[in-house]
Structure formats: C-alpha cells, structure tokens
C-alpha cells in the first residue's frame, strides 16, 4: 500500500513561517516529480510548487520568493518552507507525487490526505 502523509500544518500569524513535510511510503520503485498543491474554501486546487527528481523547481507566481520546495530522495520526502505568509495562503495543502511502482509499470499520480494551513491574526 502506497501512502503520502503530510505533516506540519497549523495556525500562523501573517508574516510568519511554517514548514510542511510529506513522506512517501510503501512499495515504491522510484519517485519522479513531487509537489505541493493547495485548495482554499470555495476555490479550485492549485499548484503551489513542484520539484523533479533532479531538483528542478517550479513555483506559482503568488509564492515565488516566499516559498521553497525541497526533497530528500533517500527518505522519499518533500518539504515546503513557507515564509512571509499571507492570509491568502490559507488552505489545505496536499502533497502529490508521480510514482513508479515497478519497472515497466505506468507512472501513477498519488495524493496525500492534506494538511490545513491557516494564516490569521
């Protein structure tokens, strides 16, 4: 059973910082891109940041310069460091990974259950 489990969400004041983590576990042969998405109430889920297994990163314009995505391939983990947080960063943050479970099998998308991030004074 493959799982993505997020941790580290919470309540933070505007201007504050928070780090969320995601651990992939199970019978995984290889992990390609990993990323973070978020969904605010009443809005569609949107990409926040992504990172390839080679370390290339991509960010939504709204978080560039404030958020940093990183990964530890040895531990099958991805992190999102969030600084200068704004109320509009509030939402449920979901971890995503493109997984290869065995050689020759298709790459499949996998999602975590989400972790709540609330930015409020």
């Amino acid at each position: 059973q493959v799982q993505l489990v997020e941790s580290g969400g919470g309540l933070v004041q505007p201007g504050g910082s928070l780090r969320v983590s995601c651990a992939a576990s199970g019978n995984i042969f290889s992990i390609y891109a990993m990323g973070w998405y978020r969904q605010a109430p009443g809005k569609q889920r949107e990409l926040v940041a992504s990172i390839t297994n080679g370390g290339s990163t991509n960010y939504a314009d709204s978080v560039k310069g404030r958020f940093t995505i990183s990964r530890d391939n040895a531990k099958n983990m991805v992190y999102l460091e969030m600084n200068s947080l704004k109320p509009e960063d509030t939402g449920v943050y979901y971890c995503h990974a493109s997984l290869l479970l065995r050689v020759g099998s298709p790459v499949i998308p996998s999602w975590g259950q989400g972790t709540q991030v609330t930015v409020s004074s």
Side-chain angles (χ1 to χ4, degrees):
Q1 184 76 3
V2 173
Q3 274 190 314
L4 297 182
V5 178
E6 300 100 334
S7 61
L11 173 65
V12 62
Q13 291 188 341
S17 297
L18 204 62
R19 189 175 87 150
V20 290
S21 304
C22 172
S25 63
N27 194 12
I28 301 169
F29 181 78
S30 183
I31 303 178
Y32 293 114
M34 302 184 82
W36 289 94
Y37 288 70
R38 68 185 178 194
Q39 187 165 20
K43 294 189 176 181
Q44 288 189 330
R45 191 175 297 189
E46 62 174 356
L47 174 68
V48 176
S50 63
I51 184 168
T52 68
N53 53 2
S56 296
T57 58
N58 180 53
Y59 296 93
D61 287 342
S62 60
V63 307
K64 282 180 181 176
R66 300 188 297 121
F67 290 12
T68 302
I69 189 170
S70 60
R71 65 190 283 174
D72 185 331
N73 291 332
K75 295 181 179 179
N76 286 348
M77 293 196 69
V78 64
Y79 310 94
L80 186 68
E81 185 76 35
M82 301 180 286
N83 298 312
S84 303
L85 281 160
K86 305 175 182 180
E88 51 263 43
D89 294 317
T90 295
V92 179
Y93 282 67
Y94 295 92
C95 175
H96 176 272
S98 297
L99 305 177
L100 182 68
L101 301 185
R102 64 188 66 84
V103 176
S105 66
V107 175
I108 61 171
S110 185
W111 293 92
Q113 81 288 352
T115 185
Q116 177 70 43
V117 171
T118 302
V119 184
S120 175
S121 55

